Amino acid sequence: MKTLTLLRHAKSGWDDPVARDFDRPLNAKGKRAAAMVGRHMRSLGLVFDHAIASPAVRVSETLEQIESGYGRTIAPALDRRVYLASAATLLDVVHGFPAEAESALLVGHNPGLEDLVLLLVADGADPLRDAVEDKYPTASVAELQFEGEWGDFAAGTARLTRFIRPRDLDPTLGPDAD
């Protein structure tokens, strides 16, 4: 069984005066949320034998904070295709994962990650899928399991086994009141 974990970057700072979206850094809330999610990933015993990430600054900073809470280095390969990718592009990336990898981490952006979950997990009476469809917040983690090879991942073939939002771990990390 293959396990695909999808991590959306943490909350970034729109107030930061960067010239390009690609260079937008995390804000303080995003850093706190990512570190907390990393600690939770450690408590669950999540491990990855393959990892791919967008090279955007907010993804790199998310991974730094995740690693600080997780207690180990993830060291993903950076893949420019993941930056603001569609679900179809992300699925192409997954199809290229090495056959020997059993548990992979993909770190990127919305709406691509949310759309990928909704594509891979069949619509039905699944409260986790419903939660993803409602909103895939920043620094959230979705874990999917699949019988087969990476190249066989297709619409409706995965099972969503976890959906962890920062606000589930600490209510102060939920949506802003404004």
Side-chain angles (χ1 to χ4, degrees), residues 63-88:
L63 283 164
E64 288 172 13
Q65 295 302 314
I66 289 282
E67 289 173 346
S68 75
Y70 186 56
R72 62 175 73 172
T73 302
I74 296 172
L78 300 180
D79 189 329
R80 183 97 179 158
R81 296 176 297 164
V82 178
Y83 175 65
L84 302 181
S86 67

Side-chain angles (χ1 to χ4, degrees), residues 33-109:
M36 177 166 287
V37 168
R39 286 190 297 277
H40 190 66
M41 289 168 59
R42 180 181 62 216
S43 76
L44 294 171
L46 300 184
V47 293
F48 311 103
D49 48 24
H50 186 67
I52 298 282
S54 161
V57 168
R58 61 191 176 274
V59 171
S60 298
E61 290 184 358
T62 296
L63 283 164
E64 288 172 13
Q65 295 302 314
I66 289 282
E67 289 173 346
S68 75
Y70 186 56
R72 62 175 73 172
T73 302
I74 296 172
L78 300 180
D79 189 329
R80 183 97 179 158
R81 296 176 297 164
V82 178
Y83 175 65
L84 302 181
S86 67
T89 299
L90 293 173
L91 187 56
D92 284 344
V93 171
V94 170
H95 286 162
F97 287 177
E100 64 275 6
E102 292 298 320
S103 182
L105 175 66
L106 179 61
V107 189
H109 312 266

